[in-house]
Short mmCIF file of all heavy atoms in Angstrom, two decimals:
data_model
loop_
_atom_site.label_atom_id
_atom_site.label_comp_id
_atom_site.label_asym_id
_atom_site.label_seq_id
_atom_site.Cartn_x
_atom_site.Cartn_y
_atom_site.Cartn_z
N GLU A 32 96.37 80.80 123.31
CA GLU A 32 96.14 82.10 122.85
C GLU A 32 97.14 82.64 121.79
O GLU A 32 96.79 83.26 120.80
CB GLU A 32 96.09 83.18 124.00
CG GLU A 32 94.88 82.93 124.88
CD GLU A 32 94.82 84.03 126.00
OE1 GLU A 32 95.36 85.18 125.79
OE2 GLU A 32 94.26 83.78 127.04
N ASP A 33 98.41 82.25 122.02
CA ASP A 33 99.40 82.66 120.99
C ASP A 33 99.23 81.99 119.70
O ASP A 33 99.41 82.56 118.64
CB ASP A 33 100.84 82.39 121.53
CG ASP A 33 101.18 83.19 122.82
OD1 ASP A 33 100.69 84.30 122.80
OD2 ASP A 33 101.99 82.76 123.61
N VAL A 34 98.82 80.69 119.68
CA VAL A 34 98.58 79.94 118.40
C VAL A 34 97.34 80.50 117.77
O VAL A 34 97.26 80.66 116.54
CB VAL A 34 98.38 78.46 118.71
CG1 VAL A 34 98.00 77.71 117.43
CG2 VAL A 34 99.66 77.82 119.32
N ALA A 35 96.30 80.87 118.54
CA ALA A 35 95.11 81.50 118.03
C ALA A 35 95.43 82.87 117.34
O ALA A 35 94.89 83.21 116.41
CB ALA A 35 94.08 81.61 119.08
N GLN A 36 96.24 83.60 118.02
CA GLN A 36 96.67 84.92 117.52
C GLN A 36 97.43 84.78 116.19
O GLN A 36 97.18 85.53 115.22
CB GLN A 36 97.60 85.59 118.52
CG GLN A 36 98.08 87.02 118.06
CD GLN A 36 97.05 88.06 117.84
OE1 GLN A 36 96.11 88.06 118.67
NE2 GLN A 36 97.11 88.80 116.87
N ARG A 37 98.26 83.79 116.07
CA ARG A 37 98.99 83.47 114.80
C ARG A 37 97.98 83.13 113.73
O ARG A 37 98.08 83.59 112.58
CB ARG A 37 100.03 82.38 115.04
CG ARG A 37 100.72 82.02 113.81
CD ARG A 37 101.88 81.15 114.08
NE ARG A 37 102.92 82.04 114.55
CZ ARG A 37 103.97 81.71 115.31
NH1 ARG A 37 104.16 80.51 115.71
NH2 ARG A 37 104.92 82.58 115.69
N ALA A 38 96.98 82.28 114.04
CA ALA A 38 96.03 81.83 113.07
C ALA A 38 95.21 83.07 112.67
O ALA A 38 94.79 83.18 111.51
CB ALA A 38 95.08 80.85 113.73
N PHE A 39 94.89 83.96 113.62
CA PHE A 39 94.13 85.18 113.26
C PHE A 39 94.93 86.07 112.31
O PHE A 39 94.33 86.68 111.42
CB PHE A 39 93.67 85.84 114.53
CG PHE A 39 92.80 87.04 114.23
CD1 PHE A 39 91.45 86.80 113.80
CD2 PHE A 39 93.23 88.33 114.35
CE1 PHE A 39 90.68 87.89 113.55
CE2 PHE A 39 92.41 89.33 114.11
CZ PHE A 39 91.10 89.14 113.70
N LEU A 40 96.28 86.19 112.53
CA LEU A 40 97.03 86.96 111.64
C LEU A 40 96.96 86.34 110.16
O LEU A 40 96.83 87.15 109.15
CB LEU A 40 98.53 86.92 112.05
CG LEU A 40 98.85 87.76 113.20
CD1 LEU A 40 100.30 87.54 113.65
CD2 LEU A 40 98.64 89.25 112.98
N ILE A 41 96.96 85.07 110.03
CA ILE A 41 96.79 84.45 108.70
C ILE A 41 95.42 84.70 108.21
O ILE A 41 95.24 85.01 107.02
CB ILE A 41 97.09 82.89 108.80
CG1 ILE A 41 98.51 82.58 109.30
CG2 ILE A 41 96.83 82.27 107.48
CD1 ILE A 41 99.57 83.27 108.39
N TYR A 42 94.44 84.57 109.06
CA TYR A 42 93.03 84.96 108.64
C TYR A 42 92.91 86.35 108.09
O TYR A 42 92.31 86.51 107.04
CB TYR A 42 92.09 84.71 109.80
CG TYR A 42 90.71 85.28 109.59
CD1 TYR A 42 89.66 84.46 109.04
CD2 TYR A 42 90.38 86.53 110.04
CE1 TYR A 42 88.45 84.98 108.80
CE2 TYR A 42 89.13 87.01 109.78
CZ TYR A 42 88.12 86.20 109.19
OH TYR A 42 86.89 86.75 108.99
N GLN A 43 93.56 87.27 108.75
CA GLN A 43 93.52 88.70 108.32
C GLN A 43 94.22 88.81 106.98
O GLN A 43 93.74 89.56 106.10
CB GLN A 43 94.16 89.55 109.33
CG GLN A 43 93.25 89.83 110.57
CD GLN A 43 93.86 90.73 111.49
OE1 GLN A 43 95.08 90.57 111.93
NE2 GLN A 43 93.19 91.82 111.82
N ASP A 44 95.36 88.19 106.83
CA ASP A 44 96.16 88.26 105.60
C ASP A 44 95.34 87.73 104.43
O ASP A 44 95.29 88.36 103.41
CB ASP A 44 97.45 87.55 105.76
CG ASP A 44 98.35 87.71 104.58
OD1 ASP A 44 98.66 88.85 104.13
OD2 ASP A 44 98.79 86.64 103.95
N LEU A 45 94.72 86.56 104.59
CA LEU A 45 93.98 85.95 103.57
C LEU A 45 92.70 86.86 103.14
O LEU A 45 92.37 86.93 101.98
CB LEU A 45 93.58 84.54 103.91
CG LEU A 45 94.68 83.54 104.02
CD1 LEU A 45 94.12 82.24 104.55
CD2 LEU A 45 95.43 83.35 102.65
N THR A 46 92.06 87.27 104.23
CA THR A 46 90.79 88.03 104.00
C THR A 46 91.06 89.48 103.52
O THR A 46 90.47 89.84 102.52
CB THR A 46 90.05 88.11 105.31
OG1 THR A 46 89.79 86.78 105.85
CG2 THR A 46 88.70 88.82 105.12
N GLU A 47 91.97 90.16 104.11
CA GLU A 47 92.15 91.57 103.78
C GLU A 47 93.16 91.89 102.77
O GLU A 47 93.02 92.86 102.08
CB GLU A 47 92.39 92.38 105.08
CG GLU A 47 91.29 92.27 106.08
CD GLU A 47 91.61 92.81 107.47
OE1 GLU A 47 92.65 93.51 107.59
OE2 GLU A 47 90.76 92.66 108.33
N VAL A 48 94.15 91.14 102.64
CA VAL A 48 95.32 91.37 101.68
C VAL A 48 95.19 90.52 100.51
O VAL A 48 95.17 91.05 99.35
CB VAL A 48 96.68 91.05 102.33
CG1 VAL A 48 97.78 91.26 101.32
CG2 VAL A 48 96.88 91.96 103.66
N LYS A 49 94.86 89.21 100.61
CA LYS A 49 94.76 88.36 99.47
C LYS A 49 93.31 88.26 98.91
O LYS A 49 93.11 87.62 97.91
CB LYS A 49 95.29 86.97 99.74
CG LYS A 49 96.79 87.09 100.19
CD LYS A 49 97.54 85.74 100.07
CE LYS A 49 98.95 85.87 100.39
NZ LYS A 49 99.78 86.74 99.52
N ASN A 50 92.39 88.81 99.58
CA ASN A 50 90.94 88.93 99.15
C ASN A 50 90.36 87.54 99.03
O ASN A 50 89.63 87.36 97.99
CB ASN A 50 90.81 89.77 97.91
CG ASN A 50 91.29 91.16 98.12
OD1 ASN A 50 91.01 91.80 99.12
ND2 ASN A 50 92.06 91.68 97.18
N TRP A 51 90.60 86.67 99.96
CA TRP A 51 89.91 85.35 99.83
C TRP A 51 88.46 85.53 100.16
O TRP A 51 88.05 86.51 100.77
CB TRP A 51 90.57 84.37 100.86
CG TRP A 51 91.79 83.69 100.26
CD1 TRP A 51 92.77 84.24 99.44
CD2 TRP A 51 92.15 82.40 100.54
NE1 TRP A 51 93.71 83.30 99.21
CE2 TRP A 51 93.33 82.14 99.92
CE3 TRP A 51 91.66 81.39 101.38
CZ2 TRP A 51 94.02 80.95 99.92
CZ3 TRP A 51 92.35 80.15 101.38
CH2 TRP A 51 93.54 79.96 100.68
N TRP A 52 87.63 84.60 99.73
CA TRP A 52 86.23 84.54 99.96
C TRP A 52 85.85 83.53 101.03
O TRP A 52 86.46 82.53 101.25
CB TRP A 52 85.48 84.08 98.67
CG TRP A 52 85.58 85.14 97.61
CD1 TRP A 52 86.68 85.28 96.75
CD2 TRP A 52 84.67 86.07 97.22
NE1 TRP A 52 86.45 86.34 95.87
CE2 TRP A 52 85.21 86.85 96.15
CE3 TRP A 52 83.39 86.42 97.69
CZ2 TRP A 52 84.57 87.91 95.53
CZ3 TRP A 52 82.74 87.53 97.08
CH2 TRP A 52 83.33 88.19 96.02
N PHE A 53 84.81 83.91 101.82
CA PHE A 53 84.24 82.99 102.79
C PHE A 53 85.25 82.46 103.81
O PHE A 53 85.18 81.24 104.12
CB PHE A 53 83.41 81.92 102.15
CG PHE A 53 82.45 82.45 101.07
CD1 PHE A 53 82.67 82.15 99.74
CD2 PHE A 53 81.36 83.25 101.46
CE1 PHE A 53 81.78 82.67 98.79
CE2 PHE A 53 80.49 83.73 100.48
CZ PHE A 53 80.73 83.48 99.17
N THR A 54 86.17 83.23 104.25
CA THR A 54 87.25 82.78 105.17
C THR A 54 86.56 82.62 106.61
O THR A 54 85.78 83.45 106.94
CB THR A 54 88.44 83.63 105.17
OG1 THR A 54 88.08 84.98 105.42
CG2 THR A 54 89.23 83.51 103.92
N GLU A 55 87.05 81.60 107.26
CA GLU A 55 86.67 81.47 108.64
C GLU A 55 87.70 80.78 109.41
O GLU A 55 88.53 79.99 108.84
CB GLU A 55 85.36 80.67 108.74
CG GLU A 55 85.41 79.30 108.12
CD GLU A 55 84.05 78.56 108.18
OE1 GLU A 55 83.62 78.36 109.31
OE2 GLU A 55 83.61 78.18 107.08
N LEU A 56 87.75 80.98 110.78
CA LEU A 56 88.66 80.31 111.63
C LEU A 56 88.01 78.99 111.99
O LEU A 56 86.84 78.94 112.34
CB LEU A 56 89.00 81.11 112.86
CG LEU A 56 89.97 82.26 112.70
CD1 LEU A 56 89.98 83.05 113.96
CD2 LEU A 56 91.34 81.76 112.37
N ALA A 57 88.79 77.93 111.92
CA ALA A 57 88.29 76.65 112.31
C ALA A 57 89.19 76.08 113.47
O ALA A 57 90.31 76.60 113.61
CB ALA A 57 88.17 75.66 111.22
N TYR A 58 88.77 75.01 114.11
CA TYR A 58 89.57 74.47 115.15
C TYR A 58 89.54 72.98 115.08
O TYR A 58 88.55 72.36 115.00
CB TYR A 58 89.10 74.92 116.55
CG TYR A 58 89.97 74.50 117.69
CD1 TYR A 58 91.23 75.11 117.90
CD2 TYR A 58 89.61 73.54 118.60
CE1 TYR A 58 92.00 74.82 118.94
CE2 TYR A 58 90.38 73.19 119.63
CZ TYR A 58 91.59 73.79 119.85
OH TYR A 58 92.39 73.48 120.86
N SER A 59 90.75 72.39 115.26
CA SER A 59 90.87 70.89 115.30
C SER A 59 91.09 70.45 116.75
O SER A 59 92.06 70.76 117.35
CB SER A 59 91.99 70.44 114.47
OG SER A 59 92.32 69.05 114.68
N GLU A 60 90.03 69.72 117.32
CA GLU A 60 90.21 69.27 118.65
C GLU A 60 91.29 68.27 118.69
O GLU A 60 92.03 68.21 119.73
CB GLU A 60 88.82 68.63 119.07
CG GLU A 60 87.64 69.57 119.14
CD GLU A 60 87.66 70.50 120.36
OE1 GLU A 60 88.45 70.20 121.32
OE2 GLU A 60 86.95 71.51 120.30
N LEU A 61 91.46 67.39 117.72
CA LEU A 61 92.48 66.36 117.70
C LEU A 61 93.88 66.94 117.78
O LEU A 61 94.72 66.46 118.56
CB LEU A 61 92.37 65.50 116.45
CG LEU A 61 93.36 64.40 116.28
CD1 LEU A 61 93.19 63.38 117.32
CD2 LEU A 61 93.24 63.78 114.86
N PHE A 62 94.18 68.02 117.08
CA PHE A 62 95.52 68.55 117.00
C PHE A 62 95.53 69.77 117.98
O PHE A 62 96.69 70.40 118.16
CB PHE A 62 95.94 69.14 115.61
CG PHE A 62 95.91 67.95 114.57
CD1 PHE A 62 94.96 67.97 113.63
CD2 PHE A 62 96.73 66.94 114.74
CE1 PHE A 62 94.92 66.88 112.62
CE2 PHE A 62 96.74 65.92 113.79
CZ PHE A 62 95.84 65.88 112.81
N GLU A 63 94.46 70.15 118.56
CA GLU A 63 94.37 71.27 119.51
C GLU A 63 95.07 72.54 118.89
O GLU A 63 95.92 73.21 119.45
CB GLU A 63 95.12 70.98 120.84
CG GLU A 63 94.39 69.84 121.57
CD GLU A 63 95.10 69.52 122.90
OE1 GLU A 63 96.24 69.91 123.12
OE2 GLU A 63 94.39 68.91 123.72
N ARG A 64 94.64 72.85 117.66
CA ARG A 64 95.12 74.01 116.96
C ARG A 64 94.14 74.57 115.98
O ARG A 64 93.37 73.79 115.36
CB ARG A 64 96.53 73.75 116.32
CG ARG A 64 96.53 72.86 115.12
CD ARG A 64 97.89 72.69 114.59
NE ARG A 64 98.55 73.97 114.32
CZ ARG A 64 99.82 74.24 114.71
NH1 ARG A 64 100.57 73.23 115.28
NH2 ARG A 64 100.32 75.36 114.52
N PRO A 65 94.11 75.82 115.77
CA PRO A 65 93.26 76.46 114.78
C PRO A 65 93.83 76.43 113.38
O PRO A 65 95.02 76.30 113.25
CB PRO A 65 93.18 77.90 115.21
CG PRO A 65 94.41 78.15 116.00
CD PRO A 65 94.84 76.84 116.57
N TYR A 66 92.97 76.57 112.42
CA TYR A 66 93.37 76.68 111.06
C TYR A 66 92.33 77.60 110.32
O TYR A 66 91.30 77.89 110.94
CB TYR A 66 93.56 75.27 110.36
CG TYR A 66 92.29 74.41 110.30
CD1 TYR A 66 91.45 74.29 109.22
CD2 TYR A 66 92.01 73.65 111.42
CE1 TYR A 66 90.42 73.47 109.25
CE2 TYR A 66 90.86 72.80 111.48
CZ TYR A 66 90.11 72.71 110.31
OH TYR A 66 88.95 71.90 110.31
N VAL A 67 92.60 77.90 109.15
CA VAL A 67 91.68 78.77 108.36
C VAL A 67 91.11 78.04 107.18
O VAL A 67 91.88 77.27 106.50
CB VAL A 67 92.44 80.07 107.88
CG1 VAL A 67 91.54 81.02 107.16
CG2 VAL A 67 93.11 80.77 108.99
N VAL A 68 89.90 78.25 106.92
CA VAL A 68 89.19 77.66 105.75
C VAL A 68 88.69 78.80 104.91
O VAL A 68 88.16 79.75 105.43
CB VAL A 68 88.10 76.76 106.18
CG1 VAL A 68 87.26 76.20 105.00
CG2 VAL A 68 88.55 75.63 107.04
#
Side-chain angles (χ1 to χ4, degrees):
E32 289 184 30
D33 293 332
V34 176
Q36 178 66 35
R37 178 167 281 158
F39 186 71
L40 287 173
I41 300 301
Y42 169 85
Q43 285 182 306
D44 184 55
L45 293 173
T46 304
E47 297 172 10
V48 177
K49 299 200 179 298
N50 298 317
W51 275 36
W52 292 81
F53 310 112
T54 52
E55 61 182 299
L56 284 171
Y58 186 74
S59 170
E60 297 284 343
L61 178 66
F62 301 114
E63 296 179 341
R64 71 178 310 131
Y66 58 98
V67 181
V68 177

